[in-house]
Amino acid sequence: MLPTTPNESPNWHRLRRAIRSTWPNRHGRSSDVATLVGCSGGADSVALIRLLAELWAEESNGLNPANETVTKPVAPLVVAHCNHGIRGEESNADEAFVRQLCDQLQLPLVIHHVTPPNNSAPTGPVSDERTLRQIRRDFFERAAKQHGCRYVAVAHSADDQAETMLHHFIRVTGPLGLAGIAEASELDTDIVVRRPLLQVRRDTLRDGLREIGQPWREDASNRHTIYTRNWIRHDVLPLIESRYSNAVEAIHRAGMLQHEMNEMVRRLAERWLEAFTDFSGDRWTIHTERLSKSANPEKRMDDTNTACNWMIERPVIVAASQLAWDRLGWSRGSMTMQHWQRLSGLINDQSCWHTLDIAVSTGQAVDGIDHGGHFPGGICLSVEAKQLVLRSE
């Protein structure tokens, strides 16, 4: 049974209300589903562990209608810590802190130690952020499966959301990036990542921990503004908030609206794929004549037929192409928005096909398609029997 000490200090009380509103399932309970909680030792993840532990304890200690002397069963709540080993003894101290916290809360702990790909390599541990995120993601997936956890809880805050969206905006990542961090996303077919603190400010989490006397670990490298994300956190966002005090909340709302728009386009893109394309092995065939007939029905003689035809809209075709890339397991890492837009243009413009056919045979560049139909990642575009075919070389 998890220990719990009700805390009614102002900020912590607000945090408890927030977690109760975002975590429970449709039956109103929080602890019915086994959950893995990622914890670095930092304030945000420590607050998440304390809040979920309190929820689990409250529901475990609730009266059982059948027998008031028996506590209600709860699903496992497991903590996962990834020791990247980047900061030497500081990394080990983070691990020790998380271990002590789990002992205090009587929670099981799973730890993963990251080692270099080659133990004899002099370069030391991996340190680039993208690789570190993937290592944590893979570790969380393995640990969740090992312990039968349906959910993986991570402690992204409203500030993380704003920083992410600003970073994506600077990098011109497109509609998906401008939607920011999703409240829930798939980690694997049967595992869902949940972010219940996404609407909570970072300062509120820290104030709440101070009120209940709960320490946390600070990573000194998070202060280095040489990294773009830290620069946005410590310099850019505070400057914006000095003029617009509700900037973080406004950015968060914009992300929610963009997410809704993306979901609408995604649904149309799935319909587009089903209606006009086929998949076979590593081959994606686009039946452009079928698309042309559907997209250009016989026009009426008057000028009242002005409705937008979604089947030829570039955002829908771009989204469908990205879904196709994912379905075939092709990497989208080197595909820029310019590549997607030019592919959409080729799909819509049959007058380009003859020129593209010539380019494929001669190796010349056509309409931005380098080397006659080659896209980044080894994807080749060709015209076959009046159909566009993309395949992995």
Side-chain angles (χ1 to χ4, degrees), residues 137 150 182 184-195:
R137 184 181 178 89
R150 166 66 172 165
S185 58
E186 279 194 359
L187 180 62
D188 187 64
T189 305
D190 298 317
I191 302 172
V192 175
V193 177
R194 295 182 64 179
R195 303 172 179 88

Side-chain angles (χ1 to χ4, degrees), residues 250-263:
I251 294 172
H252 187 82
R253 288 195 300 272
M256 293 177 64
L257 293 173
Q258 184 64 55
H259 176 72
E260 292 176 0
M261 184 67 69
N262 290 346
E263 280 299 297

Side-chain angles (χ1 to χ4, degrees), residues 353-373:
W353 296 2
H354 178 66
T355 311
L356 177 64
D357 236 350
I358 296 173
V360 171
S361 61
T362 63
Q364 298 174 356
V366 175
D367 195 25
I369 308 300
D370 293 336
H371 309 297

Side-chain angles (χ1 to χ4, degrees), residues 83-85 112-119 124-126 135:
N83 185 341
H84 294 287
H112 175 61
H113 294 95
V114 179
T115 56
N118 182 352
N119 290 333
V126 174
I135 288 172

Side-chain angles (χ1 to χ4, degrees), residues 31-108:
S31 58
D32 287 341
V33 180
T35 300
L36 186 83
V37 190
C39 183
S40 65
D44 298 358
S45 59
V46 168
L48 179 59
I49 288 175
R50 288 295 305 258
L51 290 165
L52 289 180
E54 286 191 15
L55 275 181
W56 255 247
E58 288 171 4
E59 295 187 356
S60 174
N61 293 332
L63 293 178
N64 187 313
N67 185 342
E68 294 186 359
T69 64
V70 179
T71 58
K72 293 181 180 179
V74 294
L77 181 65
V78 183
V79 178
H81 175 76
C82 189
N83 185 341
H84 294 287
I86 296 173
R87 296 177 295 118
E89 288 305 314
E90 286 294 308
S91 295
N92 294 333
D94 292 345
E95 176 185 326
F97 172 84
V98 175
R99 190 183 299 278
Q100 183 181 26
L101 177 64
C102 291
D103 288 344
Q104 173 191 343
L105 298 175
Q106 300 178 25
L107 295 175

Side-chain angles (χ1 to χ4, degrees), residues 36 134-149 152 187-189 191 193:
L36 186 83
Q134 189 60 48
I135 288 172
R136 288 193 297 271
R137 184 181 178 89
D138 293 343
F139 164 51
F140 288 160
E141 182 179 339
R142 292 194 308 271
K145 290 178 178 178
Q146 178 184 353
H147 292 271
C149 295
V152 173
L187 180 62
D188 187 64
T189 305
I191 302 172
V193 177

